[in-house]
Amino acid sequence: MRDWRPDLIVSLDDVSAWLLRGLVADPSVSPDLRRLIEASIGAPSGYDAACSRIRFLELATSIGVRAPMSRSVDKTTALATAEAMGYPVMIKVNQTAGGHGIRIACEPAQLVEGMEACGLGQGGLLQRGRREMRRLVWRLGRLPATRNKVFELQQFIPGVPAMRTVAAWRGHVLAGASFVSECVDPQPFGASTTLRFINHPEMEATTKQLVAALGISGFVSFDFVIAEDGGEAFVIECNPRVISSSHLGRLFGQDLCGALARQLGWTTETQKTAALPSEAPVALFPHEIARDPDSARLRSGSGILHDVPWDDPGVIEHCYRQLLRLHPDHAAAMARLLGSQDEAASFKSESTDYIA
């Protein structure tokens, strides 16, 4: 902050978003830094819920938005709670992300296995050491902590994963876009690799209520499940940061970054937005390539928009090197997707010219 004198801080991952909120409670933080953090992410009254799956679902339930039944349990109470709630149930460990710390259990035996897999059992020396180290980081970061081995048991909602990402200012939504996941990695609860824009009034209304209740400024995304037996949107998680689809709103008439920039007085111009068909699917870079370098979704003529940052070759080159480590036997396939400028221009032309 002293070197850069920033106007805003934007978190790019879960851990930074959580620890940034913890800094506000640190007495050694200067008043200037505290003011900057609060201006960037919103009211401190919402930090606990933004950092905790358990507290977030409690907040969602208290304001009356549609959410799955959820209970805070430990190993001694989980089986009885699951029986009362009804199987299948979701195990969700607090302050985990990217599909980690999540399991589904369809019967008591799977619940016991799932708790062990999520690190809630005694575990070996290495597992116990990692667990205690994580809790030490949270304590040093002054994050709200639950008792050791306490986790969330959540009602399972059969349906399709979806999310709504928004830019907000002092509890008011400035702009937002909703997407439904068409493919995730790792299955079944990992990050999206392919998604599609949707209009869902309930997701939009729920997000406005949650943003107001949390007092959020900056970027935030909420995960939903759209129920397969009626289309209702159940909110399940809060991601208090940008996500890998936040910039895609511009392709569908919703410029999140531009809306926040105008709110802050950085610009008075409204940037041109595209108007892709709402059914147009988007493959996220580099996630879909990382999932499967030979993905049919990335083949010429697939009709999908591959979200490659063609205007930033340095990022492409860096990701290509990382992908080679992950898939050393698929260098040729990845080179065809990201290789020469001619090939890139050809694929970009096929996918429409909106990525730039």
Side-chain angles (χ1 to χ4, degrees):
M1 176 187 157
R2 286 192 296 266
D3 291 345
W4 294 351
R5 311 303 301 176
D7 297 306
L8 200 72
I9 302 174
V10 178
S11 298
L12 302 182
D13 62 75
D14 289 297
V15 175
S16 67
W18 297 330
L19 295 178
L20 197 64
R21 284 160 172 80
L23 273 179
V24 173
D26 191 324
S28 68
V29 169
S30 70
D32 285 344
L33 179 54
R34 185 174 289 108
R35 281 193 291 269
L36 174 62
I37 294 173
E38 291 183 19
S40 299
I41 61 179
S45 59
Y47 293 175
D48 281 4
C51 292
S52 166
R53 283 172 167 155
I54 293 172
R55 291 183 174 91
F56 173 70
L57 264 295
E58 290 174 349
L59 172 68
T61 301
S62 71
I63 64 173
V65 299
R66 196 187 305 275
M69 188 187 309
S70 178
R71 296 287 184 271
S72 178
V73 299
D74 59 21
K75 290 188 68 175
T76 65
T77 59
L79 287 168
T81 303
E83 192 67 32
M85 188 179 292
Y87 288 96
V89 295
M90 302 291 296
I91 302 166
K92 292 194 172 184
V93 179
N94 215 29
Q95 288 161 345
T96 56
H100 300 288
I102 299 178
R103 291 290 189 279
I104 185 171
C106 299
E107 59 182 8
Q110 286 186 346
L111 179 55
V112 173
E113 286 179 14
M115 288 188 288
E116 293 293 331
C118 288
L120 295 162
Q122 184 66 20
L125 182 61
L126 180 60
Q127 189 180 66
R128 294 199 303 273
R130 286 175 174 171
R131 187 166 59 229
E132 290 307 314
M133 182 60 70
R134 184 172 65 245
R135 293 184 61 80
L136 174 62
V137 170
W138 298 150
R139 286 196 296 272
L140 292 174
R142 296 183 181 272
L143 292 175
T146 54
R147 288 187 297 107
N148 196 22
K149 300 181 183 177
V150 171
F151 60 98
E152 177 190 355
L153 204 62
Q154 188 181 105
Q155 174 191 14
F156 175 72
I157 307 295
V160 180
M163 74 286 301
R164 181 165 178 82
T165 177
V166 302
W169 188 249
R170 296 179 179 174
H172 298 281
V173 172
L174 303 175
S178 300
F179 300 93
V180 62
S181 294
E182 296 200 333
C183 184
V184 300
D185 184 48
Q187 290 283 354
F189 305 119
S192 298
T193 66
T194 308
L195 44 74
R196 178 171 47 83
F197 176 82
I198 59 169
N199 282 306
H200 200 292
E202 185 180 15
M203 288 174 61
E204 185 173 351
T206 295
T207 296
K208 288 181 179 178
Q209 289 180 258
L210 290 167
V211 166
L214 292 164
I216 285 178
S217 291
F219 298 97
V220 64
S221 170
F222 299 100
D223 288 345
F224 291 82
V225 173
I226 300 178
E228 64 183 17
D229 61 352
E232 298 91 350
F234 289 76
V235 66
I236 56 173
E237 286 190 16
C238 170
N239 299 296
R241 55 175 174 81
V242 293
I243 60 173
S244 56
S245 55
S246 294
H247 66 292
L248 294 178
R250 226 184 128 192
L251 299 179
F252 300 94
Q254 291 289 323
D255 184 6
L256 279 64
C257 297
L260 185 57
R262 288 190 296 275
Q263 174 66 43
L264 296 171
W266 296 350
T267 181
T268 57
E269 297 181 2
T270 300
Q271 296 294 318
K272 181 180 179 181
T273 58
L276 294 184
S278 60
E279 67 274 9
V282 180
L284 298 176
F285 174 84
H287 307 310
E288 180 62 12
I289 300 179
R291 185 191 70 82
D292 181 4
D294 294 320
S295 170
R297 295 179 172 90
L298 301 180
R299 293 174 188 165
S300 177
S302 66
I304 200 167
L305 183 66
H306 192 192
D307 183 40
V308 181
W310 301 113
D311 57 342
D312 200 337
V315 168
I316 297 175
E317 177 62 26
H318 172 78
C319 290
Y320 180 64
R321 290 196 299 268
Q322 299 298 316
L323 289 165
L324 278 177
R325 295 179 184 177
L326 186 63
H327 300 292
D329 297 331
H330 293 78
M334 294 186 294
R336 283 194 297 273
L337 291 172
L338 306 173
S340 73
Q341 288 297 312
D342 290 342
E343 289 166 345
S346 174
F347 192 90
K348 179 180 172 183
S349 176
E350 287 182 18
S351 302
T352 75
D353 196 35
Y354 291 123
I355 280 295

